Amino acid sequence: MNAISKSFKVYMTQLTKDGMLIMIMIAPFLIGTVFKFVIPFVELQITRYYETNQILKEYYLLFDLLLATLAPFLISFSSSMTMLDEYDSNLINHLSVTPLGKNGYLASRLVLPLMLSYLVSIFIVIIFSLTSWSFLMVISICFVTCLLSLISTLIVFSYSKNKIEGLALAKLSGLIMIGIFIPFLVTTDVQYYFAFIPSFWIGKFTIDPGLNYYILSLLSISVWTYFSYIKFFKKLSK
């Protein structure tokens, strides 16, 4: 456990030395501030202009869901970039024969950052949310969005040869998030064409907090994680 905590400290130190990654860590708080203060102000102005009751307000729940998703995805991107750096320098293989071991390395680069993103995500939603969420709802949504971000980490690392490719693939892996928009924007049964995307069920659960939608989101995430991890582990074992 001591080796894992030391490895995680090294990971955090690496983040503070990369300007881009520093901005990525700060971004959720900046965007949360914009959501909290700018969006209601814009809503007030445009409703006055068009003389209507609400325009953006009906999507406040979607904005909150984006907040819950944002921090985990940005932190997962940081993990991907760090691991690609260490893979290119063959550091992962060297660490595998130390007391840290491969499992310890994965814990310090996947599990602990995931736990960190979970706590940050909860904090951001509580502070910056535009709607009123129960604490149970906050921790439930943040849990599945963090698991969803793990898929992005695995995909980016598995299919990228370097950080440049990783940056490009991270943008593509962000398409996993597109499912959260569908239940808000598509009200017909056409929306179920996107049911294979895990984030779709997270969106459904956010609108209608039923246990069935939550279970479906967990099952969908589990399937994606399983197949992503197979490719991830093959690369890590080379």
Side-chain angles (χ1 to χ4, degrees), residues 190-206:
V190 173
Q191 63 181 260
Y192 289 101
Y193 286 116
F194 298 87
F196 67 95
I197 306 176
S199 56
F200 169 79
W201 297 108
I202 297 175
K204 292 286 287 184
F205 174 74
T206 305

Side-chain angles (χ1 to χ4, degrees), residues 79-93:
S79 295
S80 304
M81 294 298 101
T82 302
M83 292 180 68
L84 283 171
D85 252 350
E86 292 167 342
Y87 182 81
D88 287 341
S89 60
N90 205 33
L91 183 61
I92 295 178
N93 288 330

Side-chain angles (χ1 to χ4, degrees), residues 118-141:
Y118 182 53
L119 296 176
V120 172
S121 184
I122 290 173
F123 177 79
I124 287 177
V125 172
I126 290 175
I127 298 299
F128 298 113
S129 63
L130 295 171
T131 60
S132 180
W133 285 24
S134 68
F135 185 67
L136 178 61
M137 186 68 173
V138 171
I139 61 175
S140 299
I141 288 292

Side-chain angles (χ1 to χ4, degrees), residues 43-109:
E43 168 74 346
L44 180 62
Q45 300 307 311
I46 59 178
T47 50
R48 281 179 178 175
Y49 182 81
Y50 289 105
E51 298 181 347
T52 185
N53 291 327
Q54 62 179 30
I55 296 177
L56 296 177
K57 203 167 188 176
E58 60 181 309
Y59 298 108
Y60 277 9
L61 190 60
L62 176 58
F63 285 121
D64 286 350
L65 182 54
L66 287 173
L67 279 180
T69 309
L70 189 62
F73 263 83
L74 291 179
I75 292 175
S76 77
F77 173 73
S78 302
S79 295
S80 304
M81 294 298 101
T82 302
M83 292 180 68
L84 283 171
D85 252 350
E86 292 167 342
Y87 182 81
D88 287 341
S89 60
N90 205 33
L91 183 61
I92 295 178
N93 288 330
H94 292 308
L95 290 173
S96 297
V97 296
T98 67
L100 177 66
K102 188 166 289 185
N103 290 334
Y105 175 79
L106 293 179
S108 66
R109 294 299 184 272

